[in-house]
Amino acid sequence: MNILEVNDLNVYYGAIHAIKNISFEIKKGEIVTLIGANGAGKTSTLHAISGLITPRSGEISLNGMNITNKEAHKLLGLGMAHVPEGRRIFTNLTVLENLEMGAFIRNDKDKIKKDLNNIFDMFPRLAERKKQLAGTMSGGEQQMLAIARALMSRPELLLMDEPSMGLAPILVQEIFKTIEKINKENNVTILLVEQNAHMALSIANRAYVLETGKIIMSGDANELANNDDIKKAYLGG
Ligand code: ATP
């Protein structure tokens, strides 16, 4: 069953046609990645899905429900969470307060407490830094917090925008391992937008390649990782 379907999506910024009639789908349980160069339209696609921008046309559905143009905060309640590019954590709140904010749509206090403990098991560094102001943590820790905060809403589908951006290679590996774990152990379906095509293809089931607002190729992530054109254009030869 498809958890997300995007049909004939078009996004404009004024006269700029940023997303040109793209369609794709994600099945429950998959990790799907959208790869592409700077400016290919990856972030615009995510923003259209999560209600942060209004598409000119097209239809987006979540679990069979039309969510085109639904406001971002309503989508959280429908099981979709977004880890934005640049993290956007609350820098002057503590780690714990950030995580509590992630659960603001829920009122099942006992379960929230249990989920917090699970999160601290999964991210021991966040547990150690519970009371630290989020803005004083390293980039990698802030990225972990952004992911953990999104998980506190108990999403079925997680949209992630460039989680590896600005991180040292060793942290990039840790982030990608965490994404795999969230998918396998917490049963969260993932739409991953990445410029780091190599890492993204290594954990994804399927991929779509965006170029100047169009999907130019799609398929099994392993096959794409071994495709000569993809290697040349996105994997450094
Ligand atoms: P990046 O990795 O650099 O974020 P991307 O693949 O996510 O790239 P988008 O940010 O979606 O690409 O941008 C797609 C196109 O839309 C680009 O040509 C970009 O310049 C343009 N664009 C994005 N946001 C705006 C905006 N607010 N106003 C005008 N043009 C925009």
Side-chain angles (χ1 to χ4, degrees), residues 1-10 21-28 30 32 34 45-46 48-51 55 57-69 75 80 157 159 189-191 206 208 215:
M1 163 164 176
N2 291 337
I3 189 164
L4 186 81
E5 281 178 23
V6 173
N7 285 308
D8 299 327
L9 184 71
N10 283 284
N21 227 44
I22 71 170
S23 300
F24 64 95
E25 75 285 328
I26 304 180
K27 293 185 200 79
K28 225 179 182 23
E30 282 189 308
V32 168
L34 284 185
T45 303
L46 278 199
I49 295 170
S50 61
S57 63
E59 191 174 300
I60 301 164
S61 50
L62 180 68
N63 283 321
M65 177 197 277
N66 185 347
I67 58 158
T68 326
N69 300 328
L75 294 171
M80 187 168 93
L157 173 66
L159 312 182
T189 306
I190 291 174
L191 174 57
R206 290 187 305 114
Y208 293 88
I215 292 177

Side-chain angles (χ1 to χ4, degrees), residues 6 17 65 70 80 105 111 116 124 129 192 206:
V6 173
H17 193 178
M65 177 197 277
K70 246 198 199 330
M80 187 168 93
I105 56 157
K111 279 199 191 131
L116 257 180
R129 290 160 193 274
L192 172 66
R206 290 187 305 114

